[in-house]
Amino acid sequence: MTQQVLYCNNVDATLNNIIEGGNYNAVMVLVDTNTHKLVLPKLPCLRRAHIIEITPGDDNKNLDSLVHVWQLMHNAGATRKSLLVNVGGGSVTDLGGLAAATFKRGIAFINIPTTLLAAVDAAVGGKTGINFNGLKNEIGVFALATSVIVSTCFFHTLPPKELKSGYAEMIKHAMLRSQKHFFELLDFDLGKIDKNKLLELIRSSVKTKEDIVNQDPTEQGLRKALNLGHTVGHALESLAMEHGKPVPHGYAIAWGLVTEAVISHMTLGFPSDDLYILARFVHDNYGAPAVTCDHYDRLISFMQHDKKSSNGEINCTLLKKCGDFTIDNTIPPDTMKTALDILRDLMGV
Ligand code: GLY
C-alpha cells in the first residue's frame, strides 16, 4: 500500500477536498501549542474539528501525551470512521500517527508537516512512535497516513537553523539517489530561499524516500539505506545532549554524512571530489561539531549501542558513489577514529 503525498500551495483547499471525499463521522486535529496558534487559523476547513493540543518538543513525545490524545479522541466520540489530522513537526506526526494507528485498532490520519524536517522525513514513510525509558522512538508501529500534504507555505516562520536541519535529510536523500541530485542540492542557496525551487527539491527528495520505503516498508533491509549519516549523526547528537549543549538533529546528520562519506572514500573509493564538495557545504552552512579526540570512545560507545547495531558492532550505510549504496557495513573502531580525525580536519576544528 502506498501513501498519497500531495504538494500544494493551498493546504486548506487540498485538505477540505480530502475531508469532503472521506465521509468521516468526526474529524480531530492534533496540534502543539505553536501550530495551534500559528497554523490552525490558516486551516478554516478544520474550524469544526475537535482540537487536541499537546506541549511542543520531542521530550513530550511520550506515553503521557499518547494517553492524552487517546482520551480526547474517546471524548470526541471517535470511531473507526473518524479522521485525525496531524499538524506539526515530526513530534506531532510521530505521536499522532501512533495514536491513530492504535485507536480502535486504527483510524485514518493525515499528516500536514509544518517543518522541513518533518516534510522530507518524519511525516512520510509510515514510521510512528514515542520515546520511552529514555530511548527515542522505542514504542511505535509502521502505519501509513492516508495522505501527507506538503507545502512550503509554513516554512517562512521557521528559524534558519530549523530549515538547515531539514535540508541535511534532503542531502542524504540526494546522495542515495544520484550525483545529479547531490549537485543540485549543494547548488541551492540556503541563505536566500527560492520557495518554488525548494518545493521542487522537496518533491524529488520525498520521491527518493518513497521509492526506498515502497520496496521495504518495515525496514528488513533496503530501507536501512535511509540511515546514511545517522550512525555517526546520532552519536554526535547524543554527545551534545550529554554535554548539555544540544544540536539540531540535522546538524548532527550533516556532520554524520561527512564522516560516513570519509569512511566510504577510505573503504569503497567514494570520489574525493564529492567528499570535498560536501565537506565545504557542511562547513559553510552547519559549522563544526564540538568534538575532540577525548570524545571518541564515548562516541564509539553510542554507535555500538545504536538501534542499528544488533551485535555491539558499528553498523553504517556507505556509498561507492552517489546513487550506489551498501547497507550493513561493519566499521572497526580504529577506522571510525580515523574518519573522526578527518571530519575535524575538514570542519577546521
Ligand atoms: N528516517 C528514516 C526512515 O524513515 O526510515
Side-chain angles (χ1 to χ4, degrees):
M1 192 179 141
T2 53
Q3 179 170 58
Q4 182 187 34
V5 184
L6 301 159
Y7 301 86
C8 65
N9 288 319
N10 191 339
V11 178
D12 189 56
T14 308
L15 179 60
N16 194 42
N17 277 344
I18 302 175
I19 293 176
E20 289 200 336
N23 199 23
Y24 299 108
N25 65 0
V27 176
M28 297 152 294
V29 54
L30 179 65
V31 282
D32 64 26
T33 39
N34 295 328
T35 55
H36 192 169
K37 196 168 76 188
L38 298 172
V39 182
L40 207 50
K42 296 185 179 145
L43 300 173
C45 75
L46 290 173
R47 66 183 161 271
R48 280 193 291 277
H50 300 269
I51 296 172
I52 306 176
E53 186 187 287
I54 53 167
T55 311
D58 199 66
D59 289 355
N60 294 300
K61 199 178 86 177
N62 57 24
L63 197 51
D64 289 342
S65 302
L66 181 63
V67 171
H68 173 70
V69 179
W70 280 332
Q71 184 64 56
L72 292 195
M73 291 203 287
H74 170 86
N75 294 354
T79 72
R80 283 241 179 106
K81 287 292 295 169
S82 303
L83 172 74
L84 179 67
V85 183
N86 300 316
V87 180
S91 305
V92 170
T93 60
D94 279 3
L95 173 75
L98 179 58
T102 47
F103 190 79
K104 297 196 187 280
R105 300 205 174 95
I107 67 167
F109 65 100
I110 292 174
N111 285 338
I112 304 184
T114 58
T115 65
L116 182 58
L117 188 57
V120 295
D121 195 15
V124 282
K127 281 188 178 173
T128 73
I130 54 167
N131 306 328
F132 185 68
N133 265 354
L135 296 170
K136 284 184 75 142
N137 301 322
E138 182 71 350
I139 309 289
V141 297
F142 288 101
L144 288 175
T146 315
S147 308
V148 182
I149 304 177
V150 175
S151 171
T152 49
C153 69
F154 306 119
F155 300 163
H156 65 277
T157 53
L158 285 181
K161 265 193 171 176
E162 280 274 348
L163 265 180
K164 286 186 191 172
S165 190
Y167 205 76
E169 294 286 353
M170 293 173 66
I171 297 171
K172 175 194 81 177
H173 289 155
M175 291 175 81
L176 294 172
R177 176 105 168 246
S178 67
Q179 197 189 42
K180 177 173 167 278
H181 279 90
F182 175 64
F183 287 159
E184 198 179 12
L185 269 257
L186 298 197
D187 264 351
F188 186 71
D189 186 353
L190 277 175
K192 214 169 104 221
I193 301 275
D194 170 346
K195 277 213 257 167
N196 289 332
K197 178 70 185 163
L198 182 61
L199 191 61
E200 196 186 300
L201 293 175
I202 292 171
R203 191 189 278 259
S204 65
S205 193
V206 170
K207 166 113 181 41
T208 303
K209 177 161 183 179
E210 282 184 296
D211 287 347
I212 292 172
V213 169
N214 288 343
Q215 293 174 68
D216 178 21
T218 57
E219 201 165 307
Q220 302 305 308
L222 183 73
R223 186 170 180 161
K224 293 183 195 170
L226 295 171
N227 293 329
L228 182 68
H230 282 63
T231 298
V232 175
H234 278 158
L236 291 168
E237 203 177 359
S238 301
L239 185 77
M241 185 80 82
E242 194 166 78
H243 290 173
K245 293 183 178 147
V247 292
H249 174 71
Y251 279 56
I253 297 313
W255 299 319
L257 286 172
V258 176
T259 315
E260 294 181 19
V262 168
I263 301 171
S264 297
H265 173 69
M266 290 160 65
T267 59
L268 299 174
F270 181 80
S272 53
D273 285 356
D274 290 3
L275 170 59
Y276 283 120
I277 294 168
L278 173 69
R280 164 72 61 91
F281 185 89
V282 171
H283 172 271
D284 291 352
N285 287 285
Y286 299 87
V291 172
T292 71
C293 48
D294 293 339
H295 300 127
Y296 288 0
D297 286 336
R298 186 67 183 130
L299 285 169
I300 283 168
S301 158
F302 280 127
M303 295 179 208
Q304 289 166 333
H305 294 95
D306 190 283
K307 266 203 203 68
K308 296 178 279 304
S309 162
S310 50
N311 51 9
E313 292 181 328
I314 303 172
N315 180 298
C316 281
T317 295
L318 297 178
L319 296 164
K320 291 186 194 129
K321 59 181 184 179
C322 288
D324 186 357
F325 55 81
T326 64
I327 58 169
D328 281 337
N329 300 280
T330 299
I331 313 300
D334 281 347
T335 304
M336 183 56 75
K337 287 183 184 177
T338 305
L340 289 167
D341 277 340
I342 298 172
L343 168 76
R344 289 172 51 227
D345 275 352
L346 290 169
M347 297 297 112
V349 181

